[in-house]
Amino acid sequence: MDFLDLGLSSHLCQTIKELGYQTPTPIQRQAIPFILRKQDVLASAQTGTGKTASFLLPLIQLLETTKGKARLSRAIILEPTRELATQVMQALSAFTKNSPLKGVLLVGGESMAEQQKLLTRGADILVATPGRLLDFVERGQLMLLGIQHIIIDEADRMMDMGFMPDVKRLMTALPDQKQTILFSATFPEEIKKLADAYLHNPQEVHVTPETRTAATIEQNVIFVESLQKRQAVRYLLDHFGQEAPSIIFCNRKKEIATLIASLKRHRYQAEELHGDLPQSKRNETLQKFKENQIKVLVASDVAARGLDVEKLGLVINYDVPHNPEDYVHRIGRTGRAGQDGHAFSLVMSNDQKLWHAVETFIQQKVNTFTLPTVSSSVRTGTKKTHPVKKVQKDPQEIKPDFNHPVIGFGDFIPAFMQRSVALESLSSGA
Ligand code: AMP
């Protein structure tokens, strides 16, 4: 089956082909025909499955073949984060490069005046985060009378981020006659209610259960203590992160700052990405990362969902995520579109419950990876692309804390690990 069989026009198929898409992915095969028939759709699909194209392509075709009222926007795509909205906008620009359709990105953290200017020139498709879109509507700067299609992407993430009241306000401001498409990884009660309230006889599309992780990702867990964490990161970057960009996820911004400082001391080219940075900085960092100008990104969960960085080879969970579902999203940054990827999670003794929750959620026992002791890793003579010269000692990594409860969870940390804790801490001192 190819894209033509799904009912997409030959000129859209040509554009897709130029972008390197050969055959439709399962979500595209299922969702595109329903969307082209203007039916409401309730879809669950993992990120990395090609879901963005599954709604953008039919939407573009529908808008190209119908007429709107002059200057009124006809479609809204709602995204939970600015990064995701930006990424969808980039995909939209690529798909519409041979089309007169215009899209506008409306996200917080950037000048409203600039966005207003673009709006007044006319935009068929609004790619937006809920807050900024509502701002425009409530200031009377944007009319929604012409909206014929709304896509609510990552609805559960929107809910987690507290955007549900905004989404509902927006839905009530839209015309009754429209097509509504809702994508969500999970369907908790609130999302089901949202779907019941706003979708009419939706066609349901389920591609993979949300708990599934892609088979192309080789998952590993490393049982460590805090003293070892940064050493473990350096080992993984040296051995698994040489060929392709890597992401390290931390739970807290403080940890991001500490890890970045440590990596920079060790001459790794690493940058941070989290919600406290100005939007311009977030955009710049992400763009550089996508262009492979930054090798290592240390990020919060802002970067966990949907971000698409070509050939990202390594994901490290510096901390176990509090929400097991985030684990699936974090590691899903690698192994995308059939490529291979490595994921490593650093688990400390007091993370046992969280890690157990992750393994229960993914219904899988993750392979335990053994970090070699420092001396043996040096002996392997593995080439390093990140030269580690003589570095300043990291105060928290100098001496092992023998009062640390390593011994107290001998069942959990295998004996060899207990030995390597001591060896690494003593021998590396960095
Ligand atoms: P998404 O799940 O929308 O984030 O897409 C994940 C990645 O798959 C993106 O890099 C897309 O460009 C790519 N992709 C989407 N559809 C296809 C396709 N049919 N063939 C090849 N790559 C695709």
Side-chain angles (χ1 to χ4, degrees), residues 3 16 19-28 45-55 57 84 87-88 91 95 306-310 333 336-338:
F3 286 100
I16 304 165
L19 292 171
Y21 295 11
Q22 306 284 340
T23 48
T25 64
I27 184 72
Q28 292 161 1
Q46 232 178 326
T47 58
T49 55
K51 76 181 166 85
T52 313
S54 81
F55 61 77
L57 295 172
L84 276 176
Q87 194 168 283
V88 168
F95 295 148
L307 287 192
D308 188 26
V309 177
E310 217 184 320
R333 296 315 94 228
R336 290 166 79 75

Side-chain angles (χ1 to χ4, degrees), residues 67-74 145-146 148:
K67 272 208 175 302
K69 290 178 198 140
R71 296 201 171 276
L72 285 182
S73 300
R74 293 187 282 157
L145 290 174
Q148 297 160 11

Side-chain angles (χ1 to χ4, degrees), residues 45-47 49 185-186 207-217 219 324-325 327-329 331-332 358 360-364:
Q46 232 178 326
T47 58
T49 55
T186 55
V207 167
T208 42
E210 69 276 8
T211 51
R212 285 267 291 280
T213 48
T216 46
I217 308 169
Q219 298 176 61
E325 203 190 309
Y327 174 83
V328 178
H329 292 293
I331 71 162
V358 166
T360 308
F361 186 74
I362 59 172
Q363 297 167 19
Q364 199 178 327

